[in-house]
Amino acid sequence: MPTNRDKRSIHVPEPRKLGVSAQVDKQTFLTRFHERFYDPAFDGSRAQIDALAEIAWQAYEEGRKAPRTRAAGPEFANPEYQLSEQWLQAREEIRKAQKLHEDPSRPPRVLIISGAARHEQTCPGEVSKSYRLCQLAEQTLVAEHADVDLLDLGHLAAEYGRVIYPCKACVATAMPLCHWPCSCYPNHSLGQVNDWMNEIYPRWVAAHGVMIVSPVYWYQAPAALKLMIDRLVCADGGNPDPTRTDGKNAKKAKAIELEGWDYPRHLKGRAFSVIVHGDTVGAETLRRNLHDWLCDMQLVPAGGDANIDRYIGYYEPYATSHEALDRDEAIQQEVRNAARHLLATVGRLRRGDLRESVPPSARPK
């Protein structure tokens, strides 16, 4: 760490600004607000909706991002700093999950993630192949007496109120500006509420192993999966004390980073497996991307047999892709084997028989 003299000599860059505003005028705001009540069923309640719109406009104009706060308390650098009650609750759920993770008396817990956006209860009218493969893994793990938490990201497209907001890239300004858990949301002044990540963070923390099963969408991860990936950046070096940066004070965060930041790895040591399937191209690239991302967060790969890319119904019609999966007993068995390898790796990690992985690249300290 730098000495006090070193700290005084550190040049802290000013945050760059171009004066580009995203602020909207009142008429635009009200038009967008009323779009939520387009259904004629709301016509009899227009007066009440108009009244709510005025309240929402005031919150927007005043920038009331976190309207309910309380003093941070003695665990924080600035105990009197007013922190969002919702952020504090998300932090508490993560702490509870960490205790579950560390309890040696509990069975191994595996988080299985279906990365597909397709869901049978919305436009496609059919389940994804990824979800079916997740079920195979779940059945295998349950038979081995593991606790399984199945996270279907397809609910983002099918379930009312389910949303993961995009990462705002606070980390690209300074790592300490990226809080653990993320404090960018909810933002009540912008109507950015019900952020699913506040539930997803504890699910990652509680897990001993993570299996991601994903299709390829245009050579890349599905948008639902990528949203979660980006929002997990705070787990890889994120600042657990927002009072140190006075909330989102960019220049203060830059100074803290330049003085020396330790990049805490909040998910370090959990095992992982990646299953990527495609129709024609891109499966290997996406599998490698997911593998490298998880290694970079210092999760532990469960070995080659647990990290695979395969094609189902290669260059066959989409209409018969589920029938192709029915016939493809090889990939079904590979998914079962991957689940077993993951569980075995979890066991070795919990017993202390396996060293944690070293990430392919290390951030500057």
Side-chain angles (χ1 to χ4, degrees):
M1 294 290 290
T3 64
N4 289 336
R5 179 176 296 178
D6 292 330
K7 292 180 181 180
R8 286 196 298 269
S9 66
I10 290 173
H11 167 65
V12 181
E14 290 289 337
R16 299 295 181 94
K17 298 179 184 292
L18 295 176
V20 180
S21 176
Q23 197 80 2
V24 300
D25 59 32
K26 185 173 183 179
Q27 187 55 53
T28 301
F29 178 92
L30 294 177
T31 298
R32 293 178 181 177
F33 183 90
H34 281 284
E35 279 295 313
R36 297 176 178 269
F37 307 97
Y38 177 79
D39 191 317
F42 291 106
D43 286 350
S45 302
R46 289 299 162 192
Q48 295 92 326
I49 293 170
D50 289 343
L52 289 174
E54 284 295 326
I55 296 170
W57 165 251
Q58 290 300 320
Y60 172 76
E61 193 173 36
E62 296 169 14
R64 296 204 298 270
K65 174 186 175 182
R68 297 178 188 269
T69 62
R70 65 172 184 264
E75 296 180 69
F76 293 87
N78 182 354
E80 300 305 315
Y81 189 87
Q82 293 293 308
L83 286 176
S84 161
E85 291 184 358
Q86 290 177 303
W87 185 86
L88 287 167
Q89 181 59 41
R91 173 180 179 267
E92 181 60 25
E93 293 304 314
I94 284 175
R95 297 179 75 182
K96 291 177 183 177
Q98 184 64 33
K99 289 180 181 179
L100 292 176
H101 173 83
E102 295 171 356
D103 186 348
S105 69
R106 299 184 67 84
R109 184 175 183 83
V110 176
L111 174 63
I112 302 177
I113 300 168
S114 175
R118 187 158 54 135
H119 196 282
E120 65 187 79
Q121 289 184 321
T122 187
C123 303
E126 184 174 53
V127 71
S128 70
K129 295 187 291 295
S130 293
Y131 189 81
R132 288 183 59 195
L133 294 175
C134 286
Q135 286 187 315
L136 289 176
E138 179 183 30
Q139 292 162 8
T140 303
L141 292 167
V142 169
E144 298 288 340
H145 308 293
D147 283 346
V148 176
D149 180 9
L150 179 51
L151 171 60
D152 179 9
L153 294 177
H155 280 243
L156 285 174
E159 182 181 334
Y160 178 81
R162 275 288 176 230
V163 62
I164 295 176
Y165 293 102
C167 175
K168 297 179 181 178
C170 296
V171 64
T173 290
M175 188 76 245
L177 198 63
C178 180
H179 301 147
W180 169 252
C182 175
S183 66
C184 293
Y185 305 101
N187 185 325
H188 290 273
S189 68
L190 295 178
Q192 296 168 339
V193 298
N194 296 327
D195 181 35
W196 200 7
M197 290 305 299
N198 280 347
E199 296 179 32
I200 290 175
Y201 290 134
R203 294 168 76 168
W204 274 78
V205 171
H208 300 102
V210 178
M211 173 181 277
I212 297 178
V213 182
S214 178
V216 179
Y217 288 3
W218 281 120
Y219 294 85
Q220 304 291 340
L225 177 58
K226 189 60 166 63
L227 282 167
M228 182 192 69
I229 289 172
D230 288 352
R231 292 290 303 287
L232 280 165
V233 66
C234 59
D236 186 50
N239 175 11
D241 185 353
T243 73
R244 292 188 62 193
T245 55
D246 293 339
K248 292 292 185 177
N249 185 317
K251 188 167 184 179
K252 190 165 188 176
K254 286 175 180 282
I256 293 171
E257 183 178 55
L258 292 172
E259 289 168 6
W261 187 250
D262 60 355
Y263 290 89
R265 312 283 184 161
H266 300 290
L267 296 175
K268 179 180 179 180
R270 289 153 179 83
F272 75 85
S273 166
V274 171
I275 311 289
V276 175
H277 63 91
D279 305 295
T280 54
V281 291
E284 179 184 2
T285 301
L286 178 54
R287 189 264 304 161
R288 292 181 66 180
N289 288 344
L290 294 174
H291 179 278
D292 290 352
W293 160 61
L294 291 162
C295 284
D296 209 44
M297 292 204 299
Q298 295 193 4
L299 277 74
V300 181
D305 290 336
N307 294 283
I308 61 175
D309 53 87
R310 297 292 183 265
Y311 292 97
I312 301 171
Y314 187 65
Y315 269 102
E316 294 179 9
Y318 293 115
T320 57
S321 62
H322 274 288
E323 283 75 10
L325 177 55
D326 292 339
R327 295 191 302 270
D328 196 340
E329 296 182 4
I331 191 172
Q332 295 176 36
Q333 189 57 46
E334 284 186 297
V335 170
R336 295 187 187 97
N337 290 341
R340 295 187 182 102
H341 280 289
L342 176 61
L343 191 58
T345 303
V346 165
R348 291 195 294 273
L349 285 167
R350 296 185 82 192
R351 293 191 301 272
D353 297 338
L354 185 65
R355 293 177 61 86
E356 295 174 356
S357 67
V358 177
S361 62
R363 293 193 173 37
K365 300 296 189 288

